[in-house]
Amino acid sequence: MMKIKSLLLFLIIGVVFYHAQTLNIKKNSLEERTYEELEKEFYGNHTDEENSKSIANYYLKKAKAEKNTTHIAEGYVMLHFDEDLPNALKYLDSLQYITKNSKENTYPARIYLLRGNLYSKNDNLQSAFNNYILGLKYAKEKGNKRQIAMAHISIAYLNNYIGKHAETAKVLRHYAYDADYMNEDEKNSLKLNLADAYIEINKMDSAYVLIKDGLLDSKKNKDVYRYHQNLGLLGYYNLHSRNYQKAIDGLLECEKYFFTKNNGSKRNHNYTLLYLGKSYAGIQEKEKAVGFFRKIDSLVLKTNYIYPELRDVYTYLIDYYKENGDKEKQLYYVDRFLKVDQVLDMQFRYISRELPRRYDTPELQQEKESITNELTKRKSLFYIVLSLLLISHLLFINVYFKYKKSEKNYKKIAQDLIQSVNENKGEKNRDPEVRNEIVAESIQTENIEDKTSRTISEDIAQNILKELEIFEDKDQFLNKGITLGSLAKKIKTNSKYLSEIINTYKGKNFATYLNDLRIDYAISRLANDKKFRSYKITFIAEELGYNNEQAFTLAFKKRTGTPLSIYLKEIENMSLD
């Protein structure tokens, strides 16, 4: 007997020592982690409630020791999960107190959204709705897109509760596909609930695609919980499609998973049993259907989780026991039905009345204002564009008339040039005075003694002028690459003397002198030589000694005052006349 007592004492001491060691190891493990690491483990852990509480308690203790207000707030958030309603609300009250002066754009909206979720979880839909409305208000004030989204989504689920499935689907579809600020887990959850809404509004193909994608993706990522959520929804899809046996096969697998180690939520438990009961009712296995519906009643009594489909559950049970003559159970389920129906009716009437008044109407009003502002902006933009078009049109008209006026002047100059060429036609020697007449330009002739620089003798000046006359008469100016230096060398003088003679006797520098000779030649030859003017401008420019077409056309306009194109056009017009 003493041996047994000693053995028991040894075992108890061993267990206590092991537990103490385990706690010490866990504490040391937590102390080594940063706030971010603790948050990641806490929010990534869906099943181990005890470990989650340890993390949350240590997180808050660490934050308080360091007097870190931001992390103290997060600690209260973490601790409120998995608590009963009164304790959870106390943590959220502490959160509200610690963040009352917070500059973060997540507060105070986060507090009301968390309260809304808490009340929704505990089936107080009136309080849930009121908090969601406040959360939406503050989220809009702070411009927090994610919180606005969360409020809209939560209210969409309430719309689903009162039967507005199409409106729910519209909101969920938007945030599942058009909101880049939603993470993958949130999008997966939205698609799951969207598939459920699609079934309710008979968009079966769309629902099936989402469910199949959800099954494949969760299997690929080894997300067992989400896989069974989608499998349960596939069961509802098959139930709705009257493929009862297929529904039963999948739902039995879900029942096994969700009811093992409390893997599922209240919703998972209730709706798995509900769909199984309805599927068995569909194949007329009434006893099995009643068995699942009775389990639902037990869950409702235990958790007080009330939802609209319970009416179908109790109606089926009442009718079943009525058919079997069991008055006692019939009366019991009538009483249960009336109590549940009273709660449902009260919630339904409140949500149905308040949701349109406090959510739909303000949202529509905001949408109306948004559309009005958009139209006003469009109208303003239209007037700005119209004004710009009018201004540009007026500018165009102004430019057009200026162009027409310039074109008229250009034509007149071109016609005068052609007339001058015709008047001098037949003259073989084109002395400087004749060329100057062509372009309506005259140079006064003065005595050589007055013009010639004292540094240049009269004989040298006369000799240079004679050489220039030969240069002009033999059209040597048409040669390419002529420079002041090359011409001075050719006529056996120096560049300085040549430049001074040209400046003095021709009244221009060498470059202008050379250009004027070439353009005067072009004026005459283009007017008189039909074949020459039929050549491309590039070839004509090359013939005149220019390196490119642009240099020729610019020199022509500068010399004559009219563009080359108009001059050529007027030659053709006068030839036709």
Side-chain angles (χ1 to χ4, degrees), residues 342-400:
Q342 185 179 10
V343 174
L344 287 171
D345 187 55
M346 181 179 66
Q347 290 185 344
F348 184 88
R349 280 189 288 109
Y350 183 85
I351 300 298
S352 297
R353 181 184 72 248
E354 294 299 314
L355 198 147
R357 184 175 70 85
R358 294 172 58 195
Y359 175 74
D360 290 343
T361 302
E363 286 296 309
L364 286 171
Q365 185 65 36
Q366 186 176 347
E367 189 174 348
K368 179 186 174 183
E369 288 174 9
S370 178
I371 293 169
T372 303
N373 290 336
E374 181 65 25
L375 289 173
T376 303
K377 285 180 183 176
R378 286 186 184 181
K379 196 173 181 180
S380 300
L381 183 62
F382 170 76
Y383 284 127
I384 290 168
V385 171
L386 184 62
S387 300
L388 290 172
L389 284 172
L390 285 171
I391 291 167
S392 61
H393 187 65
L394 290 171
L395 287 171
F396 173 78
I397 291 170
N398 185 46
V399 170
Y400 175 77

Side-chain angles (χ1 to χ4, degrees), residues 25 57 94 134 145 167 195 197 199 206 245 255-256 271 280 291 367 383 439 444 469 471 547 572:
I25 291 167
N57 279 311
S94 298
L134 285 170
K145 290 196 294 185
E167 291 181 28
I199 294 170
S206 299
Q245 194 55 54
E255 182 193 22
K256 185 179 178 181
Y271 278 92
Y280 278 114
E367 189 174 348
Y383 284 127
V439 293
Q444 294 179 352
E469 189 176 351
F471 175 72
N547 292 323
E572 294 301 326

Side-chain angles (χ1 to χ4, degrees), residues 392-499:
S392 61
H393 187 65
L394 290 171
L395 287 171
F396 173 78
I397 291 170
N398 185 46
V399 170
Y400 175 77
F401 280 110
K402 278 186 177 179
Y403 169 75
K404 282 294 181 183
K405 186 177 179 181
S406 298
E407 189 179 35
K408 188 176 179 182
N409 291 333
Y410 290 151
K411 284 182 179 180
K412 178 69 170 62
I413 293 168
Q415 289 165 4
D416 290 343
L417 285 171
I418 297 164
Q419 189 177 349
S420 297
V421 170
N422 290 333
E423 286 174 358
N424 290 285
K425 195 172 182 181
E427 291 184 15
K428 294 180 181 180
N429 298 318
R430 292 177 292 110
D431 55 8
E433 287 77 13
V434 173
R435 283 191 292 275
N436 291 336
E437 285 177 13
I438 294 173
V439 293
E441 185 177 295
S442 64
I443 300 175
Q444 294 179 352
T445 304
E446 300 176 12
N447 293 327
I448 292 173
E449 291 82 4
D450 297 330
K451 285 189 175 182
T452 309
S453 170
R454 293 176 184 175
T455 60
I456 304 175
S457 69
E458 183 181 343
D459 291 340
I460 294 172
Q462 285 290 344
N463 186 54
I464 292 172
L465 286 170
K466 283 179 184 179
E467 290 295 333
L468 286 177
E469 189 176 351
I470 294 168
F471 175 72
E472 295 172 13
D473 289 342
K474 292 187 176 182
D475 299 333
Q476 292 173 0
F477 52 79
L478 299 178
N479 297 330
K480 265 191 175 184
I482 298 172
T483 64
L484 181 66
S486 66
L487 183 57
K489 190 176 180 182
K490 182 179 175 61
I491 63 177
K492 297 184 173 92
T493 187
N494 59 54
S495 300
K496 184 180 178 182
Y497 284 3
L498 178 60
S499 176

